[in-house]
Amino acid sequence: MSGRIGAWWRQAFSQVEGWQVARAQWKKDMERFKAQQRAARKNGQVPEHPGPPPTGFALMPWLLMGLGSFSNLLQGKTPNPWIGGLGLLTFNSLYVYVTFRAFHKEKREETSTRVALLLMALVTTGLAIGYGGNWLMFFPLLGLATGATVRGPWLGRAGILLATFAGTVSGFRDGEDAVTIAYGTFLSTMVTAAILSLSEAVRDLRAAREELARQAVEKERLRFSRDLHDLLGHTLSVIVVKSEAARRLAPRDMSAALAQIGDIESVGRQALTEIREAVTGYREGSLATELTRARSALSAASIEPVVRQSGTPLAPQTEALLAWVVREAVTNVVRHSDATRCEITVESGTEQARLTVTDNGSGKAVTRPAEGIGGTGLKGLTERLAAAGGSLRAGPSPRSGFAVTAELPVEPAELAAAGAATAPRAS
C-alpha cells in the first residue's frame, strides 16, 4: 500500500511541472517590473506590479485546515489511525494534484482532473462520516478545489449541491456544525472561483494590452516607412528629371539650365524640411502645394500638365490625403510612362471628393497589373484612403494611358466649414 501511495505522490508532482515554467516567467516579469520601476522613478510614476505566479502554490497554505485531524491522529484520539492516516495522505495527494492542474485550462478540463476531484469527494465523505469533528473541515477544502477546477455556468450549481451535501453529511454526523460547514464549503467554492477567474482575466488583459502596444508600434513603423517612401520617391524623381533637363539645356541655353539647377536646389531644401517634419510627426500635406509641384515636375519632364479644380473647399485632412495621391500618381507618370500630357482633376461635392490623374501614355501598370494597383506607394495610399472611408483605383484608362482615381467621403463638418460652392476653375 505504501508503494502505491508513493507512486501516487510521484505522479501528482510529475503532473505539475508546469509551475516551474510559470515561475520562471514570473521571475522574468519581476525583472522587467524592477527595470520599469527604476525608470519610472525619474518621472514620478509607478509601473503595474505583475503579481504572484499563477501556480497551485497559492492554494497550498489552505491545507493547514487539516491540522486538527492530523493532531487527532498524533494524540491517538482517532480510531483506526492507519485508516485515518491513509485517508489524510490520499486527500492531500489528490488536493495537490487537482489544484496544480487547475491553473492550466487544458489540464483542468481533462477527464483525469475530474476523476481526481470525484475521488476527493468520496474520500472526504468517508472521513467525515467515519470520524466527524475536525475531519469535517475537509469539505471546505473540497469546495476550494472544486472552485479552482470548475468554471462557467456549472459553477453555481456545483457550489450549491456541494454545500448542501456537506451540510447534510455534517448534520448526520455532528448536527451543531452543519450550517457552518455548509456555509464554509459554499463560500470557499465561489470565492476561489471568482478570484482565480479574475486573476486569469487580468493576465489575459495584460497580454492583450501588450499585443495592442506591439501592433501600434508596427503600425507606426509602417506609417513612417510609407511617408519616407512617398516623400523621397517623388522628390528624387523630380531631382532626376530636372537634372536631365539641365544637362540637355546646358550646351545651348545656359540660363535655362541654371534655372533648372535652381529648381533642384529648391526641391532639395524643401525635401529636407519635409523629412524633418515627417520625423517629428507634424507634416500635413497641402493639395495646392502638391499641385504646384506637380506642374513643375511634369513640365520639366516635357509632359503638359492640365489641372482642374471645382466644387467646395476641402477640409485639411481630406486635402492632405489627396495631396499624397497627387504626389504618388505624378511621380509614377514621370518615372514610368511615356506620356506627353497629364490631366489632374479635383472635384468636391456634397457627399464625396474625387481626384483623378490620367495620362496619355502606354497605360502599363507599374507592377501587378491584374489587381490594378501599382507599387508600394499606391498600395500604401490604398490602405490610407480605406482607413478614412475612401477608395483608390488605378489601372489602364478606357481611352488611353493610365488613370488613378481617389474618392473620399465629405464629412458634415467639412460641409459646414466649406460654405458656398466655388465656381469651376482650370489651369
Side-chain angles (χ1 to χ4, degrees):
M1 181 65 66
S2 61
R4 292 184 179 180
I5 297 300
W8 176 262
W9 271 99
R10 287 192 297 271
Q11 182 184 7
F13 281 102
S14 66
Q15 294 291 335
V16 298
E17 293 178 355
W19 75 269
Q20 297 177 346
V21 177
R23 187 166 183 82
Q25 182 63 40
W26 179 74
K27 288 182 178 179
K28 292 181 180 179
D29 292 341
M30 286 301 298
E31 292 176 358
R32 182 175 59 180
F33 166 74
K34 292 178 181 178
Q36 293 176 349
Q37 195 174 39
R38 288 192 296 268
R41 288 193 186 100
K42 301 178 181 179
N43 301 326
Q45 300 176 351
V46 179
E48 182 181 359
H49 197 284
T55 67
F57 281 111
L59 302 180
M60 289 298 101
W62 293 102
L63 283 175
L64 296 176
M65 294 175 63
L67 284 179
S69 57
F70 183 69
S71 176
N72 290 343
L73 284 174
L74 294 180
Q75 296 176 9
K77 297 180 180 180
T78 302
N80 300 317
W82 289 105
I83 296 178
L86 181 61
L88 181 61
L89 183 61
T90 303
F91 179 89
N92 289 340
S93 302
L94 291 169
Y95 180 87
V96 171
Y97 180 82
V98 170
T99 53
F100 271 92
R101 293 175 68 88
F103 285 84
H104 302 275
K105 183 177 180 180
E106 296 78 10
K107 291 184 178 181
R108 70 167 174 257
E109 294 178 353
E110 291 180 358
T111 304
S112 58
T113 305
R114 304 301 170 89
V115 171
L117 188 63
L118 179 60
L119 291 176
M120 279 186 66
L122 295 176
V123 172
T124 302
T125 303
L127 294 175
I129 294 176
Y131 297 113
N134 291 328
W135 297 85
L136 296 175
M137 298 303 296
F138 286 113
F139 274 116
L141 282 175
L142 175 62
L144 191 148
T146 302
T149 305
V150 180
R151 308 287 175 86
W154 288 96
L155 176 63
R157 304 174 192 175
I160 294 175
L161 289 176
L162 183 58
T164 303
F165 179 74
T168 302
V169 173
S170 300
F172 172 78
R173 188 63 177 79
D174 191 354
E176 61 184 13
D177 291 333
V179 176
T180 302
I181 296 299
Y183 178 73
T185 302
F186 179 77
L187 194 64
S188 63
T189 302
M190 304 307 295
V191 170
T192 301
I195 292 176
L196 294 185
S197 298
L198 181 61
S199 177
E200 286 186 357
V202 170
R203 289 196 298 272
D204 292 341
L205 288 174
R206 184 183 293 119
R209 184 179 61 187
E210 293 177 353
E211 177 64 19
L212 289 175
R214 185 188 64 81
Q215 292 180 0
V217 171
E218 291 183 354
K219 184 177 180 180
E220 180 61 19
R221 287 176 179 172
L222 179 60
R223 182 200 68 81
F224 188 72
S225 65
R226 284 199 308 250
D227 283 0
L228 286 182
H229 171 273
D230 295 341
L231 286 170
L232 295 180
H234 174 79
T235 302
L236 293 177
S237 297
V238 172
I239 290 175
V240 169
V241 170
K242 288 187 173 292
S243 299
E244 292 175 349
R247 178 176 54 80
R248 292 194 305 267
L249 292 171
R252 63 177 185 272
D253 191 347
M254 182 57 68
S255 60
L258 290 175
Q260 294 292 337
I261 293 174
D263 289 344
I264 293 173
E265 181 182 1
S266 176
V267 170
R269 293 182 184 278
Q270 183 63 32
L272 289 175
T273 302
E274 290 176 350
I275 290 175
R276 293 190 188 101
E277 292 174 348
V279 169
T280 54
Y282 295 127
R283 184 176 189 277
E284 280 194 0
S286 170
L287 181 58
T289 301
E290 290 301 332
L291 291 175
T292 301
R293 293 178 184 171
R295 292 190 188 96
S296 176
L298 291 170
S299 298
S302 300
I303 301 174
E304 179 187 359
V306 178
V307 180
R308 298 186 180 91
Q309 289 181 265
S310 62
T312 59
L314 299 173
Q317 191 173 23
T318 304
E319 278 203 8
L321 287 172
L322 295 182
W324 283 111
V325 177
V326 170
R327 172 184 286 264
E328 180 63 27
V330 170
T331 300
N332 288 336
V333 171
V334 172
R335 294 175 59 185
H336 302 291
S337 75
D338 54 358
T340 59
R341 178 184 173 90
C342 178
E343 297 184 6
I344 304 174
T345 304
V346 181
E347 300 172 329
S348 55
T350 57
E351 296 183 356
Q352 70 175 9
R354 175 181 296 176
L355 168 68
T356 305
V357 181
T358 59
D359 62 70
N360 62 350
S362 61
K364 295 181 179 179
V366 179
T367 56
R368 298 166 61 188
E371 296 184 10
I373 299 297
T376 305
L378 289 179
K379 180 180 179 182
L381 288 173
T382 303
E383 296 173 356
R384 288 191 185 195
L385 268 65
S391 63
L392 180 70
R393 300 188 303 275
S397 175
R399 294 178 297 177
S400 64
F402 197 80
V404 176
T405 303
E407 295 181 349
L408 282 171
V410 176
E411 301 295 335
E414 298 180 25
L415 295 176
T422 60
R425 56 191 182 276
S427 57

